[in-house]
Amino acid sequence: SKALNKTVEAMTLALDSLNATVRDLSDMVFDWCSIRKRSMYEGARAWQDRLYSSSYNVTLSVLIDGKTDTGGWGSGSTSTRSHWIQESFVRSTIADTVYIGGGNIPIWGTAQSHKPVELWIFKEDSRAWTTVKTLPALSGGDIYKHSFPRQSSRFWRLYNTNGWSATTEFRLEDSVPCS
């Protein structure tokens, strides 16, 4: 009976220790998830096609700040050439949501609307750009949320082939909660 009690005590201590370890690991997974979501843009850059690069000098920080009165990018199809803005990440980034919107673009004034644009990703296996979603024409100086099937890529573009387009926000997000 004494041996049994000692065995039960030892097993209880081991179980308590195991439960504490599981809680610690659970906290670490949650922290890793938070860090991954916060650091998705660390080291990332924004690029734009050369036609407008000297006019806008868009930085990533103003495209992902959630404001409609900072920075901005605009494109026009006064020629047969199409225009784009790109976010390049250090590693593949998973997203299923994009935020875009109008607002104040310093050299244009208020950008209240834009024509439809396509959200593209670069597929490294096929070495080609693929359309993820065609985003509708928008009006008003608000930021709009668009969902699409979850994708992973290092390179994401807004691509305009049809008329004038402008945005002060181009922010990606993965809405899937960490588990």
Side-chain angles (χ1 to χ4, degrees), residues 117-133:
V117 293
E118 293 178 352
L119 177 64
W120 285 9
I121 61 171
F122 187 75
K123 292 290 208 178
E124 294 192 34
D125 56 347
S126 63
R127 311 291 290 157
W129 289 96
T130 302
T131 301
V132 172
K133 183 168 182 96

Side-chain angles (χ1 to χ4, degrees), residues 33-95:
C33 175
S34 300
I35 291 167
R36 178 181 60 84
K37 286 194 173 201
R38 280 193 314 265
S39 67
M40 129 182 210
Y41 276 100
E42 188 174 314
R45 293 189 58 189
W47 302 88
Q48 56 213 349
D49 65 349
R50 281 191 230 153
L51 184 62
Y52 286 96
S53 62
S54 63
S55 301
Y56 296 104
N57 292 315
V58 175
T59 63
L60 187 63
S61 62
V62 299
L63 287 172
I64 63 172
D65 64 4
K67 299 177 182 176
T68 60
D69 62 350
T70 58
W73 165 77
S75 71
S77 59
T78 55
S79 67
T80 57
R81 181 180 167 149
S82 299
H83 308 285
W84 51 264
I85 187 164
Q86 174 177 314
E87 291 183 359
S88 300
F89 294 88
V90 175
R91 58 194 155 285
S92 284
T93 297
I94 297 171

